[in-house]
Amino acid sequence: MTPTRQDIRQVYELPIPELVFRAASVHRQHHDPLAVQKCTLNSIKTGKCSEDCAYCPQSAHHDTEVESHGLKNAEEVVEAARQARAQGATRFCLGAAWRGPRDNGDFENVLEMVRGIRSLGMEACVTLGLLTDDQAARLAEAGLTSYNHNLDTSPEYYDKIITTRTFEDRLRTIGHVRNAGVSVCSGGIIGMGEEREDRIGLLHSLATLNPPPESVPINVLVKVKGTPLENAEDIDPIELVRCVATARIFMPTSRVRLSAGRLQMSDELQALCFVAGANSIFAGEKLLTTENPGERDDALFARLGMRSETAGESARERETAGIAQ
Ligand code: SAM
Ligand code: DTB
Ligand code: SF4
């Protein structure tokens, strides 16, 4: 049954022992609680973006220290995917600082990257901004596994964060991705000065997509100097646990990805998020433009008695969830 916002709120606000226990129970009904998927990011086009997202170091509207570059070539990107695979990643994700792809040689180049990553037996995910129906179909044809397009925050808070495109624009792109038969990766960012009610609203918007996204990245804002949110107040880490657990309960078969912001999290907080149902992370030294824990993750997994998911497991999981390969 479709959850109401009140349903989400009731769960979100449960006492932590109750909330985490429920989330952990749902988690083990649908997933191996010891396995965490490793995804690696690659910024294929960095900086000078036309959009004004307040959190983003890549927006041309903010004065940040990001080193910009144009679209990388496919060979270099596929080689990076091969290296990520050697370090245990099963999914390779490409991000471009675009409002959306233009139908020129650049888009062809991205299709080439997708084909290359898939030929390595890895899941391929891209995030290129707003898409047309036709672009989504062409990505599907190239074998794309998943398209990342975050709702970012609640519909009410959205225009405090971005003015150059709307919440509805985002829903439309997600619709095009679905229609093309590509799985949807969509989540948001917390710690942008929003209220708890906005986090509940974001989770409600995600859980009521029909069907919900197959993967749900939960990012904690990485505060970057020069962005309007550089001095945002730190989010209470317990709110992150509530977000992860609520996402797990209302989107039981989805992957819940503990995404940006892990460098600032303690090992204990991450452990609690894994117990509460997070089962995917971004691995490697870098996210798109900011730092990520890198090799420290293997030590963390070892301490927790957890492990990274293998490619075979990842494929089986997708099959069980009814997602086309
Ligand atoms: N330009 C495309 C778009 O916005 O759709 C794709 C790339 S964009 C960098 C992908 C996502 O990264 C954003 O939707 C946002 O959720 C996340 N992100 C960007 N900057 C972030 C930050 N400083 N902290 C946390 N997440 C961030
Ligand atoms: C997502 O939800 N988080 C990733 C990925 N999708 C593309 C991006 C995080 C970016 C963090 C800031 C940076 O490194 O530039
Ligand atoms: Fe551009 Fe994406 Fe950053 Fe927004 S989040 S400024 S669209 S790169």
Side-chain angles (χ1 to χ4, degrees):
M1 217 180 53
T2 318
T4 62
R5 210 191 249 213
Q6 176 58 10
D7 294 334
I8 306 271
R9 191 180 301 113
Q10 257 173 10
V11 168
Y12 188 101
E13 295 189 328
L14 282 170
I16 282 290
E18 189 62 41
L19 175 59
V20 172
F21 175 74
R22 284 201 207 176
S25 312
V26 170
H27 188 197
R28 59 185 55 222
Q29 276 168 27
H30 298 278
H31 309 268
D32 176 345
L34 306 188
V36 173
Q37 178 195 41
K38 278 186 177 174
C39 311
T40 304
L41 278 165
N42 193 295
S43 185
I44 57 172
K45 186 266 172 183
T46 307
K48 301 207 169 105
C49 181
S50 61
E51 305 304 287
D52 69 353
C53 313
Y55 49 75
C56 186
Q58 302 197 62
S59 164
H61 298 254
H62 320 319
D63 188 12
T64 58
E65 279 164 19
V66 164
E67 237 176 85
S68 304
H69 62 80
L71 190 65
K72 291 179 178 170
N73 72 53
E75 245 169 64
E76 172 190 352
V77 172
V78 177
E79 185 46 40
R82 197 190 306 276
Q83 283 172 21
R85 184 180 66 171
Q87 316 211 314
T90 56
R91 178 158 165 140
F92 203 66
C93 310
L94 310 179
W98 286 333
R99 174 179 168 83
R102 303 215 187 118
D103 286 317
N104 57 16
D106 280 0
F107 190 60
E108 289 297 332
N109 211 338
V110 175
L111 297 177
E112 184 70 33
M113 294 174 194
V114 170
R115 286 190 284 264
I117 296 164
R118 296 295 284 140
S119 74
L120 295 173
M122 299 177 85
E123 296 182 14
C125 181
V126 299
T127 179
L128 314 172
L130 300 174
L131 281 192
T132 63
D133 239 339
D134 180 59
Q135 288 167 336
R138 290 171 68 198
L139 285 164
E141 203 181 49
L144 187 71
T145 313
S146 187
Y147 192 81
N148 168 245
H149 200 58
N150 293 337
L151 294 180
D152 277 351
T153 189
S154 68
E156 303 88 81
Y157 196 62
Y158 184 90
D159 61 7
K160 308 269 184 312
I161 300 296
I162 304 146
T163 69
T164 49
R165 54 180 153 166
T166 65
F167 197 82
E168 287 66 39
D169 287 334
R170 290 187 185 250
L171 293 174
R172 206 167 310 119
T173 288
I174 290 173
H176 294 326
V177 172
R178 272 266 168 261
N179 285 341
V182 172
S183 78
V184 171
C185 171
S186 187
I189 311 177
I190 66 172
M192 301 194 293
E194 75 285 345
E195 304 284 327
R196 175 182 275 187
E197 189 56 31
D198 295 306
R199 296 187 280 277
I200 292 169
L202 166 67
L203 289 164
H204 181 240
S205 300
L206 293 168
T208 53
L209 289 173
N210 188 15
E214 282 77 12
S215 80
V216 181
I218 300 189
N219 296 278
V220 175
L221 176 70
V222 180
K223 296 181 219 176
V224 180
K225 200 165 139 254
T227 62
L229 292 175
E230 67 173 310
N231 295 317
E233 204 175 307
D234 282 341
I235 181 97
D236 172 2
I238 300 300
E239 287 296 299
L240 170 64
V241 177
R242 291 188 181 280
C243 286
V244 167
T246 307
R248 171 50 68 223
I249 291 167
F250 286 100
M251 295 175 271
T253 61
S254 305
R255 281 186 212 281
V256 175
R257 182 166 308 114
L258 193 57
S259 301
R262 286 194 307 113
L263 209 51
Q264 283 73 35
M265 293 174 202
S266 68
D267 288 355
E268 302 88 307
L269 174 60
Q270 294 187 62
L272 191 51
C273 289
F274 294 139
V275 172
N279 62 349
S280 177
I281 58 167
F282 286 121
E285 304 288 340
K286 226 171 173 194
L287 292 164
L288 290 173
T289 67
T290 64
E291 305 298 305
N292 197 48
E295 283 179 4
R296 283 158 51 178
D297 284 331
D298 289 335
L300 176 63
F301 283 5
R303 278 175 75 208
L304 301 180
M306 295 178 71
R307 58 186 175 78
S308 49
E309 185 185 270
T310 62
E313 268 179 300
S314 162
R316 269 197 304 284
E317 174 129 339
R318 289 166 50 72
E319 211 168 298
T320 318
I323 303 162
Q325 294 299 305

